[in-house]
Amino acid sequence: MGYKLQVTSDKHKILAHLHICSLIFLLSAFLLFCSSTSFAQIKAGTGIISGDFSFNAMLYIQDTIIGAQQVDSKVRGNAWLNLNYTNGGFSSGARYEFYLFPLIDFQNIGYRGQGITHFFADYKNDFIQVTGGYYYEQFGQGLTFRAYEDRNLGIDNSLLGGRVKVNPYKGIQLKGIWGIERHNFNFNYSQRNDNVRGLDAEIALADFISKLENKGITLTMGGSFVSRFEKAEDKMFDIYIDTSKYFYYYNYHAISDFTATDKPNVIRCQGVIPSENIPQNVASWATRLNFGVKRFRLEGEFTSKINDPNLSNDYIYKKGEALLLTASYSMKGLGISASFLRADNMDFRSQRNASPAFAALTMNYIPAINRQYSYQLLGNYSYASQPSGQIGLQGQINYLIPKKTKVGGKYGTEITLNYARFNDIRKSFVPLSDTIGTITGTEGYTSKFFGFGKNLLYQDIGFDISRRFNKYWKLMLMYNYINYNMSLQGKNGILKGNHVGFELTYKIKDIHALRVENQFLFIPRKIDLEDKDKGSWCFLLVEYSIAPKWFVTVSDQWHFGNEKQLHYPNAAVAFVNNTTRISLNFGKTRAGILCVGGVCRTVPASYGLGLSITTTF
Amino acid sequence: MKRFALLITVLLIIGVSCDKIDTSKEVFKTIGPVEVSAWNEDYARTVVQKIYVEEFTAHRCTFCPTGARELKAIMEADPTVIVTAIHCSSLADPLSKPPFNINYKTPMGDVLHKDFNIKDLPKATINRIKNENEWGFGRTEWRKIIENINRNNVRAGIEIQYSVNKSIQEIEAKVSVTIIKEIKNPVQLCIVLQENGIISGQIDNNVNILEYEHNDMIRVGFNGNYGTKLTQNGMVMEQIKYTSTFKLNYENGFSYSNIPAKIDNCNIVAYLLDMETKEVIQVEKIDVKN
């Protein structure tokens, strides 16, 4: 079990001790790193020891122009070491994490501490798999349950408990889980009043019906059930009654204790949802189907959740629902895919008071189905999935103009077209919510399943063309038009932008290459946005690589359309040796968001020198 | 058979893992805000420590009347003892025919019966002091436990005022809690309505008594199984008086038994709970006389 360092009144002594510990840890880690680069996996008797190590540090420099704040400890770093032992069907492992002085964006989300944060023992054979300790798991596409980690986002939703997987017959898999969800570095599990349990079953029909297999049909069906227990407490909230409109209610409840508000005729009184009306056991279930015939695939999952009043939905009692459908067709040179997603009140966490502003304690995963870009400028306006309410679709066509044709050229030309759109869901609030001036303690609202709400959250229409001209030159051109509702980042207004760019690669010699990326994001200056989002951007990157060991990059993001004309220059050098990568960078990072698969966290502006070391063995 | 057992297990897990709340009725209550004022030192000097006894009983529990008589004797000898009778367990389940056809169990009583791990009847909690693995004490221990409670550590005083509006069948309780000594843990104030003089069947030492008089029977809680906080985080301050008002409509009876309370036979009990130790810090009772 992990542990936290206790802070005593002798603060200076403790801090000095911590710094010494930090140095010892980093030195040990570095020595381990040096030794690990000389071999791949370590043999231990009949078993194998494997693992990975990562160290990311930064020296922070204050820069008031870009808003990079002075930080109390200027040198900060994240480090972890995973060690796993495998011997036949048995495996075990542990992770040490050192985030005591973490990179400032991790500190901002509360991911701070150190200790052995992960350990497990696992045994599996063809029939059964049993895991004890911390583990990750996903049911179906994750709409009901997904325990996972993403180190870049500072998410680790592993469960501490037990898991059993059984394969009673070929093509059938049953899973059972029980555990307590990790919450950053809060490892005092004896104080926790919540736990998660779940069941999942999946059957692959093609394994039973040989006719299906012979016809190239795959058909998999599954179902899952997840329940969260959390001890209930009374929920106090404010009720606002317009007595000119709802005097009958005021009169019926004989409300005598109230306070006036700044609105005429509106009184405020206190309401309480007694603990017996707060569901302690909240269940969610899902069914899923994956169907494939030859080149066509259809995947779908539907989930529903019973009443789950919590902080993210303002303590309403409406059930939650989500539907994810994906269809795709592929043949040589052509791929077509289309997806549909609707999520309503599906923020499902192991504690009802967990803040929706952070990903911690999330039990399920509602993905973003839009195309994920690696372009720098669009990355700052990535769509963040909205489990509480979103409806949208995405379509994409990939076409390869055949090679050795007039249009396709010698190597062929790849074209990608895509369109994505997400709106909020249409809601009709229940009459009681109007009476009491809040949706808390009510059913909240009703919503037509396929009804698009009035508010556009995100829209992206774009294409890119990629073509290799000869052995030396390769060019990619891209264009996107995006609408981005800034409420996704807690701001006002809708950003409308045109994004154009190119990526050119020139192979100088066999292992020497030069790559240039240039992108523009045109945003009107006269638009109802915060000043730092107004105006157009330019991004230029030049990378020289000597494959596979050396990469040298210089880049700049220039907010040329804004009055402040800010620059965010960066220079980086990276060295790769087998499974080890060392990189050093110096420069500025703009404030924004970082998203992976629709899950996002904010990134503060920063300026400084960074060092990153990663290795696996 | 194995498959059947597996199916039953799965259905059982699913069944107990969902708490569906009926929202056809309002799930919340309106309460007045807590009024905070300075204490009255003169009042504080007069406060005595009272003892709260929750008697877990049932109409088909043969030795429960013996327990009730023991508690009655204790109360007569010591007026600072306040008793609430909670009908619970399968022995309180109604039968199809009189005299045991009425359900006196309550949702609140069921929760307390479970939470305090009461295994057999009659048992009683005394100020909710923990008794090893459970909270219930057997009837031979009650007098001794009550006598051993330190009466000199008075940390809070409770005052109850009430009004009854018979036209809308509503009772309003205004409860003030004065914090006399520091209380280090969060607290909650719980208010219950209980009824005297309920004439109904009871087994008494293996004899069916058709018209047994049940007293101090819990009917309903005003503000949840464990009451409500007086402050946002539950922490209260010494020498401060907290006052709040709670309303209860008794028109339609209460869950399980839909027999409306005879309000003139009722009394209101208010007690202050230490939410860390679960113990009762102070208790007060007032008879409803209309």
Side-chain angles (χ1 to χ4, degrees):
Chain A
M1 188 172 292
Y3 57 90
K4 285 200 301 181
L5 230 86
Q6 297 297 311
V7 178
T8 69
S9 55
D10 202 347
K11 198 179 169 187
H12 294 291
K13 236 179 186 176
I14 288 283
L15 284 174
H17 176 69
L18 290 179
H19 276 101
I20 291 165
C21 286
S22 312
L23 288 171
I24 291 170
F25 168 76
L26 295 175
L27 186 64
S28 314
F30 184 69
L31 288 172
L32 182 80
F33 153 71
C34 290
S35 59
S36 69
T37 52
S38 59
F39 50 78
Q41 292 174 323
I42 306 161
K43 281 192 176 172
T46 54
I48 291 168
I49 294 175
S50 61
D52 60 88
F53 169 75
S54 176
F55 173 70
N56 294 299
M58 187 159 173
L59 166 69
Y60 287 91
I61 302 168
Q62 187 183 11
D63 185 335
T64 51
I65 298 169
I66 64 164
Q69 302 291 324
Q70 186 170 12
V71 293
D72 49 0
S73 175
K74 287 181 181 174
V75 181
R76 293 173 164 273
N78 303 343
W80 74 88
L81 170 69
N82 271 312
L83 284 175
N84 296 316
Y85 172 76
T86 311
N87 192 341
F90 176 78
S91 63
S92 64
R95 183 195 305 138
Y96 177 75
E97 289 184 44
F98 186 82
Y99 283 72
L100 209 50
F101 301 97
L103 297 177
I104 197 68
D105 30 352
F106 285 78
Q107 175 151 313
N108 290 349
I109 59 169
Y111 202 84
R112 183 173 187 268
Q114 62 91 33
I116 296 171
T117 58
H118 190 95
F119 54 82
F120 71 95
D122 181 274
Y123 173 76
K124 70 174 174 184
N125 59 29
D126 291 341
F127 175 69
I128 195 166
Q129 180 180 1
V130 181
T131 312
Y134 288 92
Y135 58 89
Y136 302 103
E137 184 54 79
Q138 178 168 331
F139 291 168
Q141 309 225 41
L143 301 189
T144 50
F145 180 70
R146 186 192 192 202
Y148 71 112
E149 67 161 338
D150 190 306
R151 303 245 130 237
N152 285 324
L153 292 177
I155 294 175
D156 189 333
N157 290 344
S158 55
L159 290 191
L160 173 65
R163 173 183 62 183
V164 181
K165 291 184 186 180
V166 183
N167 302 295
Y169 303 102
K170 190 188 169 197
I172 295 181
Q173 186 176 58
L174 307 172
K175 296 180 194 172
I177 57 155
W178 195 305
I180 300 173
E181 195 176 3
R182 180 179 168 185
H183 182 204
N184 295 341
F185 283 84
N186 304 325
F187 290 110
N188 197 352
Y189 287 108
S190 60
Q191 296 291 312
R192 293 280 292 268
N193 287 318
D194 57 285
N195 65 67
V196 180
R197 51 271 161 119
L199 297 166
D200 183 76
E202 187 167 282
I203 178 166
L205 286 177
D207 286 343
F208 291 91
I209 307 165
S210 55
K211 277 184 183 174
L212 292 177
E213 201 174 353
N214 296 340
K215 288 181 180 175
I217 294 172
T218 57
L219 183 59
T220 306
M221 293 189 292
S224 49
F225 176 83
V226 178
S227 171
R228 174 207 77 206
F229 169 83
E230 188 191 7
K231 202 167 166 55
E233 286 186 349
D234 295 343
K235 169 64 187 167
M236 312 281 277
F237 65 104
D238 287 334
I239 289 174
Y240 295 90
I241 299 170
D242 184 341
T243 51
S244 63
K245 215 168 150 189
Y246 297 112
F247 186 76
Y248 73 91
Y249 188 87
Y250 162 79
N251 198 32
Y252 175 76
H253 286 267
I255 295 167
S256 57
D257 288 306
F258 57 84
T259 50
T261 66
D262 52 1
K263 291 180 186 167
N265 303 320
V266 176
I267 59 160
R268 182 181 73 85
C269 62
Q270 211 165 19
V272 60
I273 307 173
S275 57
E276 61 264 32
N277 285 342
I278 302 271
Q280 298 194 119
N281 298 283
V282 175
S284 173
W285 58 268
T287 53
R288 59 182 185 269
L289 181 134
N290 293 348
F291 171 72
V293 54
K294 294 177 182 171
R295 290 166 175 164
F296 175 75
R297 287 198 67 78
L298 177 68
E299 295 178 8
E301 183 165 345
F302 175 76
T303 184
S304 181
K305 180 180 67 158
I306 67 163
N307 45 207
D308 178 23
N310 62 58
L311 191 61
S312 77
N313 64 13
D314 284 330
Y315 285 85
I316 63 168
Y317 283 73
K318 183 186 185 299
K319 71 175 180 181
E321 293 169 324
L323 173 66
L324 175 59
L325 289 172
T326 304
S328 62
Y329 178 82
S330 65
M331 57 181 284
K332 193 182 176 186
L334 177 67
I336 301 171
S337 68
S339 303
F340 171 81
L341 173 68
R342 181 184 189 274
D344 174 10
N345 193 19
M346 274 308 295
D347 193 322
F348 192 23
R349 296 176 191 247
S350 52
Q351 289 180 7
R352 64 180 74 84
N353 286 324
S355 169
F358 303 107
L361 295 170
T362 304
M363 286 165 56
N364 64 339
Y365 172 67
I366 307 292
I369 55 170
N370 59 303
R371 191 175 174 199
Q372 309 286 309
Y373 295 106
S374 57
Y375 311 144
Q376 280 281 333
L377 298 178
L378 282 186
N380 285 308
Y381 301 104
S382 295
Y383 180 62
S385 183
Q386 303 294 304
S388 294
Q390 63 181 336
I391 182 166
L393 42 89
Q394 144 84 6
Q396 186 168 319
I397 300 171
N398 295 73
Y399 180 62
L400 176 68
I401 303 172
K403 58 187 177 182
K404 294 176 184 171
T405 61
K406 249 186 183 178
V407 184
K410 187 179 175 185
Y411 298 90
T413 300
E414 292 170 32
I415 298 176
T416 305
L417 288 169
N418 80 283
Y419 176 74
R421 181 188 177 95
F422 292 91
N423 280 47
D424 63 351
I425 56 171
R426 196 183 299 168
K427 293 177 180 177
S428 303
F429 291 98
V430 296
L432 182 59
S433 68
D434 191 43
T435 311
I436 63 171
T438 175
I439 58 172
T440 300
T442 72
E443 278 279 327
Y445 57 88
T446 56
S447 178
K448 278 191 175 176
F449 196 87
F450 291 105
F452 276 65
K454 282 179 185 169
N455 297 312
L456 176 67
L457 297 175
Y458 178 80
Q459 182 171 242
D460 166 36
I461 182 162
F463 68 88
D464 54 62
I465 302 171
S466 175
R467 179 162 177 168
R468 178 180 289 283
F469 292 96
N470 53 40
K471 193 173 151 184
Y472 303 105
W473 292 94
K474 188 182 175 189
L475 177 68
M476 184 165 88
L477 301 172
M478 71 276 286
Y479 170 78
N480 294 81
Y481 172 73
I482 65 160
N483 292 140
Y484 186 87
N485 194 323
M486 295 302 293
S487 67
L488 297 169
Q489 294 186 21
K491 301 174 187 173
N492 292 324
I494 291 186
L495 181 144
K496 295 173 184 176
N498 287 282
H499 178 261
V500 291
F502 74 87
E503 183 181 330
L504 182 67
T505 307
Y506 174 54
K507 201 171 177 182
I508 302 164
K509 288 182 194 170
D510 279 352
I511 58 169
H512 292 253
L514 185 70
R515 188 169 67 89
V516 178
E517 266 188 58
N518 189 198
Q519 294 147 25
F520 288 86
L521 179 58
F522 295 103
I523 302 169
R525 196 182 291 184
K526 287 181 182 175
I527 191 168
D528 184 23
L529 297 176
E530 281 187 17
D531 185 57
K532 58 186 173 185
D533 294 305
K534 285 179 183 174
S536 302
W537 290 82
C538 173
F539 174 70
L540 180 67
L541 176 142
V542 180
E543 180 187 82
Y544 187 82
S545 61
I546 307 168
K549 289 190 184 291
W550 290 96
F551 297 84
V552 181
T553 311
V554 288
S555 67
D556 184 29
Q557 279 192 56
W558 177 28
H559 201 173
F560 70 94
N562 190 276
E563 281 176 6
K564 290 179 183 165
Q565 299 272 314
L566 295 178
H567 283 271
Y568 295 85
N570 259 291
V573 56
F575 171 72
V576 179
N577 183 26
N578 296 326
T579 58
T580 301
R581 186 177 192 275
I582 305 172
S583 69
L584 197 65
N585 73 289
F586 181 74
K588 298 180 181 183
T589 304
R590 65 184 276 202
I593 55 167
L594 173 71
C595 297
V596 179
V599 181
C600 303
R601 71 168 167 82
T602 56
V603 177
S606 63
Y607 175 37
L609 177 69
L611 170 68
S612 171
I613 302 170
T614 57
T615 187
T616 57
F617 54 92
Chain B
M1 188 61 196
K2 275 183 185 173
R3 286 180 197 171
F4 182 69
L6 181 69
L7 183 68
I8 294 294
T9 308
V10 169
L11 291 175
L12 203 64
I13 290 170
I14 291 171
V16 300
S17 302
C18 307
D19 294 342
K20 187 84 184 81
I21 305 295
D22 177 13
T23 52
S24 60
K25 296 175 193 165
E26 285 177 11
V27 297
F28 59 87
K29 295 172 182 176
T30 54
I31 58 170
V34 177
E35 184 189 310
V36 179
S37 57
W39 73 335
N40 180 334
E41 200 174 345
D42 293 338
Y43 159 76
R45 279 198 210 101
T46 65
V47 177
V48 294
Q49 182 65 50
K50 295 195 174 180
I51 310 295
Y52 188 44
V53 178
E54 287 157 295
E55 178 201 9
F56 291 87
T57 183
H59 55 187
R60 287 187 289 118
C61 160
T62 187
F63 298 117
C64 285
T66 309
R69 284 188 284 273
E70 170 75 358
L71 284 174
K72 191 178 176 191
I74 292 171
M75 280 196 292
E76 281 170 358
D78 181 356
T80 64
V81 174
I82 292 169
V83 173
T84 295
I86 297 168
H87 282 240
C88 58
S89 87
S90 56
L91 292 174
D93 287 342
L95 301 181
S96 55
K97 290 179 182 173
F100 303 113
N101 59 329
I102 298 173
N103 192 350
Y104 292 114
K105 290 167 82 171
T106 57
M108 182 174 175
D110 284 352
V111 170
L112 299 178
H113 176 239
K114 179 172 164 278
D115 287 359
F116 291 108
N117 198 20
I118 305 298
K119 286 172 185 154
D120 44 32
L121 306 180
K123 282 276 174 75
T125 63
I126 297 169
N127 272 0
R128 297 192 180 171
I129 297 166
K130 195 171 182 184
N131 177 19
E132 294 182 0
N133 294 324
E134 57 175 326
W135 280 261
F137 293 92
R139 68 179 193 272
T140 55
E141 300 171 285
W142 296 343
R143 197 177 287 267
K144 192 178 142 200
I145 302 283
I146 290 168
E147 281 170 3
N148 287 341
I149 287 177
N150 178 10
R151 310 292 185 104
N152 298 321
N153 185 28
V154 183
R155 291 179 288 168
I158 298 174
E159 297 163 272
I160 308 170
Q161 292 174 294
Y162 71 91
S163 62
V164 177
N165 186 338
K166 285 197 171 176
S167 63
I168 57 169
Q169 304 211 36
E170 187 174 81
I171 182 165
E172 180 180 291
K174 186 176 182 182
V175 182
S176 298
V177 178
T178 300
I179 306 303
I180 298 168
K181 279 188 192 169
E182 183 190 16
I183 300 172
K184 289 180 179 169
N185 295 329
V187 298
Q188 288 191 187
L189 176 66
C190 189
I191 295 121
V192 297
L193 183 77
Q194 49 195 46
E195 188 171 345
N196 290 326
I198 295 175
I199 306 299
S200 187
Q202 174 72 48
I203 298 179
D204 184 355
N205 285 293
N206 296 321
V207 178
N208 281 2
I209 310 293
L210 301 181
E211 294 189 341
Y212 182 87
E213 183 177 330
H214 297 266
N215 291 315
D216 300 313
M217 187 194 288
I218 192 167
R219 297 304 310 273
V220 72
F222 277 69
N223 59 339
N225 300 328
Y226 290 96
T228 45
K229 294 185 181 85
L230 295 169
T231 60
Q232 208 54 293
N233 62 4
M235 300 304 294
V236 286
M237 286 170 68
E238 202 177 339
Q239 302 184 0
I240 294 289
K241 182 178 176 180
Y242 299 88
T243 304
S244 193
T245 304
F246 305 86
K247 292 189 179 74
L248 181 75
N249 187 287
Y250 58 88
E251 182 182 3
N252 297 316
F254 308 106
S255 309
Y256 299 162
S257 71
N258 278 321
I259 303 168
K262 289 179 182 169
I263 203 69
D264 296 339
N265 289 351
C266 287
N267 52 59
I268 297 166
V269 171
Y271 50 93
L272 190 68
L273 288 171
D274 182 320
M275 295 309 289
E276 289 285 327
T277 64
K278 296 189 175 184
E279 288 183 18
V280 174
I281 296 167
Q282 183 59 286
V283 59
E284 193 52 82
K285 176 178 163 181
I286 191 167
D287 291 334
V288 177
K289 294 169 188 164
N290 210 30

